[in-house]
Amino acid sequence: MQDNATEVTAAGIARLAGVGRAAVSNWRRRHPDFPRPVGGTETSPSFALAEVEAWLREQGKLAEVPLRERVWQQLTGHPEGPAVALVHVGCVLLLVQERPTVWLDIDAGSDERLAAKLPGVLDGVIAARFGCEPVNASGPVKGSGSVNTSGSVNTATPVHTPSGPQLLPSAPLLRGAVELAGELGARQTFEFLLGRYLDAHPRQYTPTPVELAGLMAELAGPALTVLDPACGTGALLRAVEARPDQTLYAQDGAPDLVALTALRLALHTRAAVRGAGGDTLRAEAYPELRADAVLCHPPFNERNWGHDELAYDARWEYGFPARNESELAWVQHALARLADGGTAVLLMPPAAASRRSGRRIRADLLRRGALRAVLALPVGSAPPYNLPLHLWVLRRPDRTPVAPEVLLVDTGAFAGEARGGPDWQAVRDAVLDTWRAFARDGKLAERAGLARSVPVIELLDDDVDLAPARHLPPPAAADGVEQLTAVRGDLAATLRLTADLTPPPAVPAPPARWPLTTIGELARGGALLLRTGAMPGTPGSTATNAHARVPVLTDHDVLAGSTPSGTFPESDEEAVLTQPGDVVVPVLGGGSVARVVDAATAGAALGRNLVLLRPDAGALDAWFLAGFLRGTANNRQASSYASTATRLDVRRLQLPRLPLDEQRRYGARFQALDEFEQALRQAGRLGEQLLRGMYDGLTDGTVEPH
């Protein structure tokens, strides 16, 4: 049943039809029968989804709205907003996962019957999964409340059962979501919708990359009770290794986000899930909890964290944090919620290791054996991506003697190129290897340039500076000189190759007058297949989740000519996998770039802001296609401009109609130019590496100035 009240914006119409927003604007001007706006504003109108779908189909611009796209548009057009709609969907998907036969009975009837019966059955599911009597829209259900570990009642519940009137506008959305779950599964459906929602609101949420979350969970080790006091979208708790009788505790200042995270965790794991909204430092939900592990990615540099009203709080066991030391407040909160011997892992800004205002607290953490390791991550590991963030590993001191040494690790050498992100496998191996050896023996033999265990007494000076780079020895001089010699040899060979690949002198020719076609026309005619990055459910894609470790080809990789360096976002959308001969085009940034996928890149998942073109080899030569797409004039006429960005409408890019033999002649020349370009890039990278190494060697005395 189509929901006539569901509204869709011009951007949503463009997504439905697979065109740019400029095309939608043209349709509105040129077609008097285009649906009239039913909401929104004059500058950003919205339209009835049913009317838009019917018009697109009548015009031959849409064969059928994909189920996933319909569900997404219904969710974004919900009268109460997408966050509320997503909670409704999560509740029903949890019902389908837990009690599928109950849904079958409710679904067999009108929307009014569904909305009337759902709250009652959702109450039971919510109570069972979140350990409390649920709260509905009119207030607490009789007997509501959850019992925490101290035996006191905590009336907060992460998910409020929607009432019948609230659910009635959601009925078509809920039916569509359940139908989609029949294809993907309940968990994958929620991940898809949540991932799209987070992507649509990037400034509201600070993500924790999947690989970083997994590393933090492994550092904490196996645990039965785990707390994340700043849970965000639940990435850290989602990474915890599942164990029988496990309980996950989550709190965040945004109640709507806590509800989404709780539903996400309940769909992901069989562990008991406890969640609460509210400011953790000012109004913590679990004051009596003693967890085996605490994982936390706290907000950074918050001055309004409660400094004035929390001066005498019992959690400040290691000292009262200064107003500009909010991160040390989170550290002490984590320690206060640990059981004796429990482990906490926090993501910290590098300034927290060296600011003078925090030196007394850092000193007490060291003296009492609470701080066990400071691990410096490469630049680009997590937001803010321009800083080399730290991981602090802490233990709640028990009756065992205080450890006299602290582990310091610096993995900065594993930073990736440009914005591609670090080499996560190398980071993980280095961190876990050094941490496990240190945890086992209480000390670690020095590893030049990477890690050492430092006596606590050595750190207790006037600054108590814990930045690993300031305490680690440089790499062995011999290794550095040998590496520089090897880089110099590689650079010389690459420069010779570049000279050999330099194109011959250009031969003038009269301006060509080819008949032209567009990528959109070629796609409609079947000469090529067009796919967009992270678009789920498309032919030729395979289901891949965030833990499959499939590399992701990002737009930055394409622009830099580097290997796939990305990782999957938190959502478990199906991935479009690249094949040899595909042509990949970035749509943001305004550059004239197109890359032909080779054997080394094939099999990578297509990242966001990329369009993949898969030509029919019998009709189109891949190198011919990529070469003409890089024309500056071609890109200019197919681009639209905003105040701060340029977006390329790939369907509008033009291509000459040439016989296949002539295409291959051009393709051979374009391929030769690509080889020349790759050689130039490699020479630039090697040259930069040699320069950096020579400067470092000369300034640290490991290279002779001759």
Side-chain angles (χ1 to χ4, degrees):
M1 176 179 176
Q2 177 63 47
D3 179 11
N4 291 321
T6 300
E7 297 177 12
V8 61
T9 63
I13 296 173
R15 190 174 187 121
L16 285 170
V19 299
R21 292 187 61 176
V24 178
S25 298
N26 288 336
W27 293 343
R28 292 184 63 196
R29 287 195 303 268
R30 297 176 182 176
H31 297 274
D33 60 339
F34 191 88
R36 300 296 181 189
V38 296
T41 64
E42 184 176 349
T43 57
S44 180
S46 58
F47 308 83
L49 176 59
E51 295 178 7
V52 168
E53 179 187 351
W55 186 87
L56 290 173
R57 189 173 291 110
E58 289 172 2
Q59 296 292 322
K61 302 180 185 299
L62 182 67
E64 183 62 45
V65 177
L67 176 59
R68 301 174 194 217
E69 203 59 51
R70 183 195 302 278
V71 172
W72 171 247
Q73 295 299 341
Q74 289 173 332
L75 187 143
T76 57
H78 193 279
E80 296 298 323
V84 171
L86 198 50
V87 171
H88 294 180
V89 169
C91 290
V92 168
L93 290 175
L94 188 59
L95 170 65
V96 170
Q97 181 170 282
E98 300 285 317
R99 304 175 187 178
T101 57
V102 174
W103 168 259
L104 292 176
D105 174 65
I106 296 175
D107 187 40
S110 66
D111 288 353
E112 289 74 13
R113 178 179 180 272
L114 182 146
K117 293 180 70 68
L118 256 182
V121 296
L122 289 179
D123 282 349
V125 173
I126 290 172
R129 290 300 279 122
F130 302 117
C132 59
E133 290 297 328
V135 177
N136 61 29
S138 61
V141 177
K142 183 178 180 181
S144 76
S146 61
V147 180
N148 61 24
T149 53
S150 69
S152 61
V153 175
N154 176 11
T155 57
T157 178
V159 181
H160 292 227
T161 306
S163 66
Q166 287 177 322
L167 285 169
L168 184 57
S170 300
L173 166 64
L174 300 179
R175 294 184 195 275
V178 173
E179 184 181 352
L180 186 56
E183 299 178 5
L184 302 178
R187 179 177 67 85
Q188 292 86 344
T189 297
F190 191 73
E191 288 292 331
F192 159 62
L193 294 172
L194 178 63
R196 281 250 184 123
Y197 173 72
L198 297 176
D199 286 346
H201 303 83
R203 296 185 179 180
Q204 296 182 24
Y205 309 105
T206 302
T208 304
V210 172
E211 295 286 355
L212 176 57
L215 176 60
M216 293 174 67
E218 289 190 82
L219 284 168
L224 289 181
T225 55
V226 186
L227 167 68
D228 184 347
C231 65
T233 60
L236 294 176
L237 292 176
R238 193 166 172 265
V240 171
E241 179 186 354
R243 296 175 65 85
D245 302 320
Q246 191 175 57
T247 305
L248 306 178
Y249 293 86
Q251 185 172 355
D252 196 273
D256 288 347
L257 189 56
V258 172
L260 294 175
T261 296
L263 288 165
R264 184 185 200 190
L265 293 172
L267 287 163
H268 176 74
T269 177
R270 297 308 305 169
V273 177
R274 306 290 181 264
D279 186 324
T280 296
L281 295 181
R282 288 185 173 92
E284 56 177 324
Y286 314 107
E288 304 301 325
L289 177 65
R290 295 296 178 264
D292 299 324
V294 175
L295 300 172
C296 187
H297 177 175
F300 296 162
N301 302 319
E302 279 202 340
R303 298 184 67 86
N304 184 28
W305 57 268
H307 177 270
D308 295 337
E309 59 263 51
L310 297 175
Y312 301 102
D313 197 288
R315 288 171 291 179
W316 314 143
E317 187 177 347
Y318 301 86
F320 181 42
R323 189 181 301 276
N324 66 330
E325 292 287 357
S326 62
E327 296 86 9
L328 294 182
W330 285 98
V331 164
Q332 295 192 74
H333 173 81
L335 285 167
R337 294 299 145 255
L338 281 175
D340 290 345
T343 302
V345 183
L346 283 83
L347 184 65
M348 302 282 281
S354 55
R355 276 190 300 243
R356 288 189 61 81
S357 55
R359 65 188 186 279
R360 292 185 179 179
I361 294 177
R362 293 195 299 271
D364 208 31
L365 290 169
L366 291 172
R367 290 192 191 98
R368 298 174 61 179
L371 182 59
R372 304 300 296 120
V374 177
L375 316 167
L377 298 169
V379 170
S381 297
Y385 290 106
N386 61 324
L387 293 178
L389 302 179
H390 291 176
L391 290 178
W392 285 25
V393 183
L394 304 110
R395 287 262 175 90
R396 177 77 181 175
D398 51 20
R399 297 180 181 180
T400 59
V402 173
E405 299 194 2
V406 173
L407 177 66
L408 300 180
V409 179
D410 186 355
T411 62
F414 304 123
E417 296 180 357
R419 292 176 57 190
D423 181 346
W424 276 114
Q425 188 60 48
V427 171
R428 178 181 176 277
D429 291 344
V431 166
L432 294 180
D433 181 48
T434 53
W435 167 249
R436 288 165 179 167
F438 173 75
R440 181 182 64 248
D441 302 330
K443 59 178 61 180
L444 182 77
E446 185 178 286
R447 302 184 185 185
L450 176 65
R452 66 178 286 221
S453 58
V454 182
V456 167
I457 192 66
E458 186 178 320
L459 298 170
L460 294 176
D461 54 16
D462 289 341
D463 294 324
V464 196
D465 191 332
L466 305 181
R470 296 197 174 106
H471 301 278
L472 297 180
D479 293 342
V481 171
E482 289 177 3
Q483 184 178 9
L484 287 177
T485 302
V487 170
R488 187 177 183 279
D490 291 342
L491 175 60
T494 303
L495 289 173
R496 289 193 295 270
L497 175 62
T498 304
D500 293 339
L501 293 174
T502 301
V507 178
R513 294 289 185 265
W514 295 306
L516 299 175
T517 185
T518 66
I519 294 299
E521 291 172 350
L522 291 170
R524 287 192 292 272
L528 58 80
L529 190 66
L530 186 150
R531 295 290 176 256
T532 57
M535 176 178 284
T538 56
S541 28
T542 56
T544 312
N545 64 44
H547 302 287
R549 300 190 182 277
V550 173
V552 177
L553 183 67
T554 69
D555 54 343
H556 306 296
D557 298 331
V558 176
L559 293 169
S562 56
T563 56
S565 64
T567 56
F568 278 97
E570 293 183 25
S571 61
D572 283 350
E573 295 188 14
E574 293 181 4
V576 177
L577 302 184
T578 58
Q579 297 178 8
D582 289 345
V583 177
V584 180
V585 183
V587 298
L588 295 181
S592 301
V593 179
R595 177 171 174 178
V596 178
V597 174
D598 57 14
T601 307
L606 191 68
R608 301 192 187 280
N609 300 322
L610 291 175
V611 171
L612 179 145
L613 305 174
R614 183 165 296 160
D616 179 350
L620 276 176
D621 179 80
W623 286 103
F624 165 80
L625 173 63
F628 273 95
L629 295 188
R630 294 190 60 170
T632 301
N634 200 5
N635 275 259
R636 187 180 297 119
Q637 63 85 27
S639 296
S640 57
Y641 303 93
S643 57
T644 59
T646 303
R647 186 174 186 88
L648 181 68
D649 184 351
V650 174
R651 291 176 178 270
R652 293 174 55 189
L653 287 169
Q654 296 177 335
L655 205 66
R657 296 181 180 272
L658 296 179
L660 191 56
D661 288 343
E662 188 69 0
Q663 292 181 32
R664 289 170 179 161
R665 191 167 73 90
Y666 274 95
R669 173 47 55 199
F670 288 137
Q671 186 173 6
L673 290 175
D674 181 79
E675 292 173 359
F676 176 60
E677 181 179 26
Q678 295 303 319
L680 284 174
R681 282 177 167 162
Q682 179 67 2
R685 286 191 286 263
L686 290 169
E688 182 181 350
Q689 187 177 350
L690 180 61
L691 279 171
R692 185 170 60 248
M694 289 298 297
Y695 273 110
D696 289 346
L698 288 167
T699 55
D700 65 20
T702 60
V703 173
E704 285 287 339
H706 63 76

